[in-house]
Amino acid sequence: MSAVADDLKGRDFTRVADWSGDELVRVLDLADELKRAHAAGEERRLLPGRTLGMIFQKPSTRTRVSFEAGIWQLGGVGLYLSASDLQLGRGETIKDTGLVLSRYLDAIMIRTFAQADVDELARNTEIPVINGLTDQAHPCQALADVMTIRERLGRLEGVRLAYLGDGNNVCASLMVAAAKLGMHFTAAVPPGYEPDAGALDAAHTAAEDTGAAVRVVHDAREAAEGAEVFYTDVWTSMGQEEERERRLRDLAGYGVTDELLALGEEDAIVLHCLPAHYGEEISEAIAHGPQSAIWDEAENRLHSQKALLALVVR
Ligand code: CP
Ligand code: NVA
């Protein structure tokens, strides 16, 4: 494999909207190659000696382990930094934390609540800042999602995706990525659960260039009709636990069911970022059934994030 081009070195990945469709495809192409190499037992030490700091203000299984294993496989090391153990948890500012951490580290991944905090960190560091999930966005998840769709369907342009459920952080990032890559994205959400207005603007703007269609509807059947990809996520995201009862009531009828799958293409795939709440947005039978690509999707977090790191870390 030829050396990784250096024109993306130093770039932050805080939201999908900041990256062009071509740049996203470069991540996917490298991710495919890294996945192939990994399966063949070929080492790709593209970031020897580099250190990735990973700040977590919310729990994680996939994001933590895929980033930590990924940087290690690239020849570097990952540091798990629980926000409550940092001075950040005692009131040190994000700016000061960022200034200091960038003297030690080569990149920072952060999972937190407010997108504004990720932006503040990125503004105050010279090293790349990667968003590992905020209340508004989950861009690394979107990378793995589109990687999985391309891997399974062989293309992205024109792919019809139905997102069912809460128009949350995962929905917002996937919607923008889909629009940038020329996919047709329909979200079926209850009134009041529409995706973030900023993400909708970014998706509509991207769609003007790529010919993608971006729609938000309130009828799950309308979204499911002819879909090649079904996507869903939990109805109660991290930090929303107090709203759980209301969410369960409002989102009932917006889960992925056999009846809705029957309206899609026969060979449609089902995706879910995980963790799943079985019996709410999806059943265990569908998640582990023949149409599910969920486990490949989870694996692809590793490969797509390795590609992202290799492209942005100096
Ligand atoms: N999909 C995802 O981000 O999972 P974790 O919360 O386990 O990291
Ligand atoms: N929307 C979910 C995604 C978890 C990976 C949350 O924010 O909790």
Side-chain angles (χ1 to χ4, degrees), residues 260-274:
L260 288 172
L261 286 180
L263 297 174
E265 291 291 308
E266 207 174 326
D267 54 357
I269 60 167
V270 176
L271 298 177
H272 188 310
C273 60
L274 300 175

Side-chain angles (χ1 to χ4, degrees), residues 58 111 133 138 168-170 233-234 236-238 273-275:
K58 292 175 176 173
R111 165 169 289 195
L133 180 145
H138 198 359
N168 60 15
N169 45 5
V170 167
D233 183 19
V234 290
T236 303
S237 286
M238 291 180 277
C273 60
L274 300 175

Side-chain angles (χ1 to χ4, degrees), residues 238-272:
M238 291 180 277
Q240 298 176 331
E241 289 76 10
E242 285 179 4
E243 302 170 13
R244 185 173 147 75
E245 292 310 315
R246 171 170 63 77
R247 291 177 158 274
L248 280 177
R249 278 196 307 276
D250 293 348
L251 284 144
Y254 288 88
V256 175
T257 58
D258 289 328
E259 292 68 35
L260 288 172
L261 286 180
L263 297 174
E265 291 291 308
E266 207 174 326
D267 54 357
I269 60 167
V270 176
L271 298 177
H272 188 310

